[in-house]
Amino acid sequence: MSADRETNHDMTNSDITTLLTEATDEVEIGIAPYQAVIRGGRRRKARRWAVATATALVIAGSSATLAVAGLPGGGGTVGPAATQTPTTAPADLYTPQRTTLASGIEDGKEWSVVIDVWAAPRTEAEAAGQLEAMGEAGDVPTGVTKASELVGKSSYLTFLSDGSDKREDRRGVYEDAFEKTDDPMNGTDVESAAIPFRTTAEHVERLVIGMVGKDAEQVTCTWKDGTATKVDRPAKNTEVSTDRPAIRTAGGSPVDWFVCLAPKGTEYKSADVTATRE
């Protein structure tokens, strides 16, 4: 984030376009479609900005599908930024709340799954400053064509990183935004995306990232070889290391998150909430 963000938002359209182009150039783009699934309950909202691995989104119990594609920073022409500095904007509008959801080592290589959540701007001026910050961070929501489209929305991006914070070492999983009008996730509601673990050229979907409501106590990821991984919510006031699967809260997120990694030799079959709070 530039040092003068708090005092200077006088960027031209070409300035922002340059930032977004640089961010896009540093992101690996997936080449094959992979599956994201929503199971149980009502959909929070039938809206998706992008599934970053060129995914088809399937709504369980419905024949409708929403085809979406892209990566953060891709697509759309950004409108000119506002020329007035917001005087009451909270500082965290321009820096995402970042939470590590899972981490580990496989074949001597570190990996981690991280989520960035951006606070919802209240005005177009605030949104313009946030869009600039998103461009620098590589988190611009796909399909956003002007800053006003961010107003009232808390944008988020989940990504897989190969052991570093560099943008070129991370791979987007899916992105969306939280809004006040979203239907809440309750009970056995679950939304998940399954992607290849190491590269987008693989066709074995081993990595599962998903969201659940606050009353979900356990998620079971079932693999095609018949085995399963159970992910439990930690006891209250208990911290669980990110190298152990757990249902976790994420800063700025109204839903909770889980990550499952299938053993080598098998892949994703399903992910379901298998226990809820009494």
Side-chain angles (χ1 to χ4, degrees):
M1 179 169 61
S2 59
D4 63 346
R5 170 148 314 107
E6 297 290 340
T7 57
N8 182 15
H9 288 281
D10 298 334
M11 294 192 69
T12 66
N13 189 42
S14 60
D15 290 334
I16 296 180
T17 300
T18 299
L19 285 173
L20 302 190
T21 300
E22 292 173 352
T24 303
D25 287 343
E26 296 186 59
V27 178
E28 179 186 2
I29 299 177
I31 61 174
Y34 301 105
Q35 185 180 34
V37 178
I38 300 169
R39 296 180 182 274
R42 291 193 303 163
R43 175 70 173 105
R44 290 182 303 110
K45 179 167 286 189
R47 169 188 46 78
R48 177 67 53 182
W49 278 341
V51 178
T53 47
T55 299
L57 181 73
V58 181
I59 302 178
S62 169
S63 60
T65 61
L66 176 63
V68 290
L71 276 169
T77 302
V78 179
T83 57
Q84 300 240 342
T85 302
T87 57
T88 60
D92 64 0
L93 275 176
Y94 310 120
T95 302
Q97 296 186 68
R98 176 166 292 183
T99 303
T100 299
L101 301 175
S103 64
I105 299 175
E106 184 176 88
D107 298 332
K109 297 179 180 179
E110 295 182 359
W111 62 271
S112 62
V113 173
V114 175
I115 181 171
D116 280 354
V117 180
W118 296 78
R122 297 164 297 182
T123 66
E124 188 168 351
E126 292 179 355
Q130 185 175 87
L131 190 61
E132 177 192 343
M134 287 176 165
E136 293 179 356
D139 279 4
V140 175
T142 304
V144 171
T145 59
K146 52 188 177 180
S148 60
E149 294 174 344
L150 298 176
V151 175
K153 299 176 181 178
S154 176
S155 307
Y156 69 85
L157 168 72
T158 60
F159 58 87
L160 170 64
S161 174
D162 290 334
S164 79
D165 291 330
K166 295 180 180 179
R167 282 181 291 179
E168 61 266 28
D169 294 331
R170 77 186 200 184
R171 182 151 49 97
V173 179
Y174 62 89
E175 61 182 62
D176 203 342
F178 300 114
E179 298 184 56
K180 291 181 178 180
T181 55
D182 287 344
D183 292 335
M185 298 188 78
N186 296 304
T188 59
D189 291 354
V190 58
E191 177 179 339
S192 61
I195 66 168
F197 179 54
R198 280 302 177 193
T199 71
T200 54
E202 294 174 342
H203 297 284
V204 179
E205 298 168 2
R206 293 179 57 210
L207 183 69
V208 180
I209 302 175
M211 63 176 75
V212 293
K214 297 293 183 179
D215 52 356
E217 290 292 314
Q218 183 185 78
V219 172
T220 299
C221 294
T222 304
W223 314 117
K224 288 188 175 180
D225 66 357
T227 62
T229 299
K230 294 188 182 298
V231 183
D232 295 309
R233 184 183 296 276
K236 190 175 181 180
N237 299 323
T238 300
E239 291 188 10
V240 175
S241 172
T242 56
D243 61 1
R244 292 176 53 194
I247 298 175
R248 302 180 189 278
T249 60
S253 171
V255 298
D256 293 337
W257 296 82
F258 66 92
V259 176
C260 299
L261 180 63
K264 287 184 178 180
T266 188
E267 62 180 313
Y268 168 85
K269 181 180 179 180
S270 65
D272 300 281
V273 173
T274 47
T276 58
R277 185 175 301 141
E278 295 294 335

